Each structure stands twice: as structure tokens, then as C-alpha cells.
Amino acid sequence: MPGRTLPTLLSSDVESRNTTKSCYVTLGTKVFDITPFLADHPGGGDLILQYGGQDVTEIMGDEISHTHSEAAYEILDDHLIGFVATTPVMKTSVKSDHPANIIPLPPNQEGMQELEADGAANGVATNNVYSTTGMSSAEDLSIETDLTVDYRTHKFLDLNRPLLMQVWNGGFSKDFYLEQVHRPRHYKGGASAPLFGNFLEPLSKTSWWIIPIVWLPPVAYGTFLSFMNIPNTIAMATYWVLGLGIWTLVEYVLHRGLFHVDKYLPDNRVGITLHFLLHGIHHYLPMDKLRLVMPPTLFIALATPFWKLAHAVFFYNWYVATAVFCGGIFGYVCYDLTHYFLHHRTLPSYYRELKKYHLQHHFADYENGFGVTSRFWDRVFGTELAMPMPKVVKAA
């Protein structure tokens, strides 16, 4: 199922939103619901209401009235709810042989060319915006967040202060928390936002190279022991590869069934805080280089039950169980390194497609696309991420 994009709204609906209960403004074809901002506007809410339901391009750039800063436009972007077809756009659409290229907005490449030829392209948005994240592309993940504006607008987490206790004490409902934590932010050029704010802070950060240094030696040792004690080399290799294959399924199940347990997340601060620590912080700050791979202490906690499970299933031979487990842990190492490189490295062609796919999971549709090292299990279980089909015109 494709990620939901922002809708194209009826112009009559937009024009009617000019009250304190519901106030929209437009910039070109973009529609913003600024009702929550009325009370915070420095000039007072009444000034905004004068332009409710109207295009504010001229008044925001009017030097005599007041030229608005870049921060004002960033605040508007946080309130983007959809698009509206202006009169020039509608005229071009009506006479077009292919109106679906233009409406629903934004237009595709052919539709934009028609608008430009008609002189109707001014102010027309050209990128889809995904409703769950407020983003259009992978590049948006690396646009630095204005920390003060973000907190004032969304009333969620202040990235200037340690995050953990804000989540614990925030009193957030599950729905509000999930809505906000899946709207990515980018902290100070990719640095790590404070999580604990005390001596525990280093424990929440892990450089990518720690993973192979910590886990490859024990994997190599366990593989060596199994090789020395399983007489049949082909059988030993088969068990090891079986473990590697099992890991690919475990990767999918963990990502979908544990990290994205959103629907079944308890609506209390214990569940919300655990979700944030386990995976929520990664969706909230997806380009944080030091919180992309799993800290060894956390992985030990997750891996211990699988060690016991392997020895329970293959109880007849300790070395067989160890071979299977070592193949699985090698798969984990590949997963964590792949995950890091998908976010922060330029990669060969196969991995470029994986990178594109995974980053779509962040900026477009976090409810699908759970495979990181491959799409195989997404295809098996029907969660393969697809980019959106054309939208339909609808009222808000």
C-alpha cells in the first residue's frame, strides 16, 4: 500500500476557512491550516483572519506592511495540509487533453510543462508531500530542524534538552506520540541530540565500526569450533547458511513486530518510552550517525533468547546449534552495517536501490518497507513499499 500523500482540496472549501475555529491560507497552490498558530502570531490572530482562505504571497513579502523572515515560512511549512488548484491551473487543466497530468496536484512533468507553456506555473508546488511525515524526498531528512520553532509548533520534544525524561513526563497520548515521532527531525548537522543528559549519554551512542570489532571475533571462534567438531564440512556449512537465512526472517519480524508494534503499543508512558528508546528515536532523528547501529549491550539482551532457542531446537548437537547461531549473528552484523551505510554512504547500484527503498520507509511510509538488507520478506508478507498512485480531489 503506498504512502498517503497530501490531498488536493476544493477551492471553495479553502476559501470558507476564515474563522478562529478553522483558518487556512495559501501560498500558490500550497494550503496551510494555521488555526493552531492564531494565538501565537506576533501581530495577533485577527490580522491573520483578514487573509483567511486567501493567498498570502503578496502580504508576506510586502516590505511596507512587514517582510516576513525565513522562520515564518518554516512555520507555514509545518502546517501544510494539502494543495489547491488556482484559477490559472484550473483553466489549463480544463483545456488540456490530459487533465490528470495536472490535477490532482502536484502535476507530473508533462502537466508542469503545460502549465509553464500557459504561464500558469507560478507558485505551483511540484513535489508530493507525505501526510504522515510532512516530507517529499530523502533529501528532506537532512534539512536541519529549527529547534525552537519545531517545539513551539508541535509541542512535542524540545531538542535543546535531554529527550528521555521529556518522553517519560510528557503525558503524550499514543496517537499524538506516534504522529510526532514519525515526523523526522534533523539535529544540528547530524549530531546526536541529548538523550539522558548525564553520564549515561555515551551508552546510547555506538559508532558503526564497533559492530564488526565486537561481534566478528566471537562469530569466527564459534564457527571454528563448529567446523572442528562437525565431521561433515558440507553439513556444517549448510547449518551456518541456515542460520544466515533464518536471520533474514528475524530481521523482518523484529522490525515489523517489535520495532513497529505501533498498533498494539500500550497507551501509557512505559510503553511509549520503551518504544522511543528501542526504535522511535531512530525515526525521530533518522540521520543521527551514532544511533543507527544497535549498542552491544542491547543486542546481547535481544540475542540471548535466540542462543537458547538455537540450542533447544538443535539439542542433539551443541556444535550444530552454535553453527546456526553464528550464521545468524553474521547476518545481524551485515544488517547493522548495511543499515548504517544506507543512511550515510554512496553505494554500488544494488545498494543504491536498497538505500532508496529504505529511506522511503523514513520519509514516505513507515507502515511498510520493513526489509533492510532485502525486500524478500516484504514481498512474501505483502508489505513491500510502493510509492503513491495519483490522488483524488477531495474536501478536507
Side-chain angles (χ1 to χ4, degrees), residues 104-124:
L105 295 171
N108 61 23
Q109 185 175 358
E110 291 78 9
M112 196 63 189
Q113 290 173 353
E114 284 193 65
L115 291 171
E116 289 172 349
D118 258 14
N122 189 36
V124 174

Side-chain angles (χ1 to χ4, degrees), residues 1-6 80 126-143 179-186 255 260 279 282-287 339 342-343 352-370 375 385-388:
M1 180 179 179
R4 296 182 299 276
T5 53
L6 296 182
L80 180 66
T126 57
N127 293 322
N128 278 315
V129 177
Y130 297 93
S131 58
T132 53
T133 66
M135 294 189 164
S136 299
S137 66
E139 288 71 25
D140 290 345
L141 294 170
S142 297
I143 296 176
E179 174 191 333
Q180 288 298 319
V181 85
H182 290 112
R183 293 180 69 90
R185 275 73 164 181
H186 188 57
H255 194 184
H260 281 274
H279 197 59
H282 174 54
H283 273 266
Y284 190 60
L285 296 162
M287 303 308 285
H339 189 204
L342 293 183
H343 279 260
R352 281 200 297 271
E353 286 302 308
L354 271 184
K355 179 186 181 83
K356 180 179 178 182
Y357 185 71
H358 180 65
L359 294 185
Q360 286 170 357
H361 172 73
H362 281 282
F363 77 79
D365 183 7
Y366 66 86
E367 295 174 308
N368 290 291
F370 301 108
R375 303 186 186 195
L385 197 154
M387 297 310 278

